Amino acid sequence: MIIVMKPSATKEQICDVEKKLTEFGFKTHPIYGEVKTVIGAIGDKRLLNTQAITSMPGVESIVPIMKSYKLASRELKQTPTIVNVGGVEIGGESITIMAGPCAIESEESYMAVAFKVKQAGAKILRGGAFKPRSSPYSFQGLEEKGLKILAAAREATGLKIVTEVLDTRDVDLVSSYTDIIQIGARNMQNYKLLQEAGMTGKPVLLKRGLAATIEEWLMAAEYILSAGNDNVILCERGIRTYETATRNTIDMSAIPVVKELSHLPIIVDPSHAAGTWKYVPALSKGAIATGADGLIIEVHSDPTCALCDGPQSLTPANFAQLMEDLKPIAQAVGRKL
Ligand code: PEP
Ligand code: MN
């Protein structure tokens, strides 16, 4: 539920209400607005003596949150969340582009592509060190060696970095290197992993599960938020349908739906949706036009030799062209790129 405080409520009154809610076994989540403060209270409402709260000084009203997810909902927070990754914003006026190869393969090749995507205007570098592969015989990633290369590329380019964690046992390791922790589609409902990633306090990029509804996806985000981490970025990466012409089916409608249901920023991964590099530009343009806050795109210097996801990777030249082509679309929807 939401405790709406009066515009005149003092800091002490807000604190007292939080204390009282804690006594009733609730977790509190204050949101300080320009006019009013509201306190999100998560817990078992049967244990709450509502009267004891409504009668407290400074309290205006109590409003229940009807949705199954609470902290992720627009009901709790009306203003959009802007996730700040060391100065790079996701969810603000600017469209944020993340780019890089699917997997980190070697320092030399990674550095080369990192500088190219930077030159084209990407703000965040992607690269997998722990890869979730369908086959156990496929390249599984360079693991910590890959994380070291990623960190060196951040150092060299000044870009921020995002990389995936697959296992709760690696959360501390991955988090010690990266700026954004990626939870992949296959792990969207790995609740322990979500909680562990949430507890690091680092921004978390949460991909939509292969067959997850938007509600299930927002419930997954709720696990991260309820671990005390407000910095969640949602990522639509295509879902499983009966269609086989593309690797997955991009769900463009998820963008406006998520914007209505949640305050969290949403980006789109056109690469894993398309499965083929040729479709990536069209899907990228569509995503920006539909209101996405950013994109995460796979780029490889030599896609035919890539150890992972080569067929869906853009060359640096195609990526640079796409960045140019996206500018008027961003402008048309009132965004900057
Ligand atoms: C990836 O980003 O390389 C990846 C494995 O993505 P997804 O979890 O969306 O399949
Ligand atoms: Mn990939």
Side-chain angles (χ1 to χ4, degrees):
M1 74 196 67
I2 302 165
I3 321 298
V4 183
M5 301 300 291
K6 291 179 181 158
S8 59
T10 64
K11 267 214 169 99
E12 282 77 28
Q13 289 171 341
I14 296 167
C15 250
D16 287 347
V17 172
E18 281 200 77
K19 234 162 87 206
K20 188 57 115 195
L21 288 162
T22 312
E23 280 169 27
F24 282 121
F26 279 70
K27 259 193 177 172
T28 60
H29 195 92
I31 297 167
Y32 303 97
E34 263 172 40
V35 184
K36 282 180 191 175
T37 293
V38 301
I39 305 169
I42 311 297
D44 184 350
K45 52 179 185 286
R46 289 169 306 181
L47 304 177
L48 184 74
N49 175 352
T50 336
Q51 191 53 38
I53 301 289
T54 36
S55 60
M56 290 183 79
V59 173
E60 188 174 278
S61 59
I62 298 189
V63 187
I65 302 177
M66 305 311 280
K67 294 282 192 299
S68 44
Y69 44 89
K70 312 288 178 192
L71 300 174
S73 78
R74 274 267 178 195
E75 291 172 71
L76 176 71
K77 184 170 180 272
Q78 272 104 50
T79 54
T81 289
I82 299 175
V83 174
N84 191 320
V85 185
V88 177
E89 287 187 347
I90 300 149
E93 193 190 356
S94 291
I95 304 280
T96 307
I97 308 295
M98 311 181 185
C102 180
I104 299 152
E105 298 170 2
S106 72
E107 176 150 9
E108 196 189 356
S109 64
Y110 194 74
M111 285 293 180
V113 80
F115 278 103
K116 287 190 176 141
V117 299
K118 178 185 178 175
Q119 200 178 17
K123 293 285 184 291
I124 296 174
L125 271 175
R126 66 150 289 148
F130 293 91
K131 292 306 304 173
R133 303 306 300 275
S134 300
S135 164
Y137 309 120
S138 301
F139 175 59
Q140 303 287 312
L142 295 180
E143 304 192 341
E144 190 168 6
K145 188 171 165 225
L147 295 174
K148 288 197 160 82
I149 295 172
L150 196 59
R154 168 180 49 202
E155 201 60 38
T157 59
L159 297 177
K160 302 293 167 204
I161 55 179
V162 56
T163 197
E164 180 167 354
V165 65
L166 297 179
D167 191 310
T168 48
R169 290 168 293 187
D170 298 321
V171 168
D172 287 341
L173 176 75
V174 172
S175 147
S176 71
Y177 285 96
T178 195
D179 299 306
I180 304 176
I181 298 173
Q182 177 174 328
I183 304 278
R186 290 156 193 79
N187 270 315
M188 188 206 81
Q189 284 178 315
N190 183 339
Y191 300 121
K192 284 278 174 242
L193 186 62
L194 297 172
Q195 283 170 330
E196 290 288 329
M199 283 189 300
T200 64
K202 283 259 160 100
V204 178
L205 178 69
L206 177 62
K207 292 210 162 183
R208 181 176 181 180
L210 303 169
T213 65
I214 292 173
E215 187 179 15
E216 287 163 343
W217 187 17
L218 292 174
M219 289 301 286
E222 191 78 10
Y223 270 89
I224 301 165
L225 296 165
S226 65
N229 188 339
D230 294 334
N231 300 308
V232 178
I233 306 149
L234 299 166
C235 178
E236 161 65 39
R237 45 78 74 203
I239 48 174
R240 271 285 163 84
T241 67
Y242 51 78
E243 183 53 70
T244 55
T246 49
R247 183 175 178 183
N248 291 288
T249 299
I250 196 163
D251 180 9
M252 285 298 185
S253 8
I255 303 165
V257 172
V258 161
K259 291 264 170 207
E260 186 182 357
L261 298 176
S262 178
H263 51 85
L264 296 172
I266 174 170
I267 70 163
V268 167
D269 174 344
S271 309
H272 290 86
T276 305
W277 69 270
K278 267 189 293 187
Y279 303 140
V280 169
L283 300 189
S284 302
K285 290 172 199 165
I288 303 294
T290 315
D293 296 302
L295 299 167
I296 180 163
I297 300 177
E298 287 187 340
V299 181
H300 196 284
S301 297
D302 186 359
T304 54
C305 294
L307 296 180
C308 186
D309 287 348
Q312 68 194 32
S313 299
L314 294 182
T315 60
N318 284 340
F319 175 67
Q321 182 61 51
L322 174 60
M323 289 295 280
E324 283 309 307
D325 296 346
L326 289 173
K327 282 181 187 159
I329 296 169
Q331 199 183 10
V333 292
R335 309 289 289 266
K336 279 203 277 203
L337 183 69

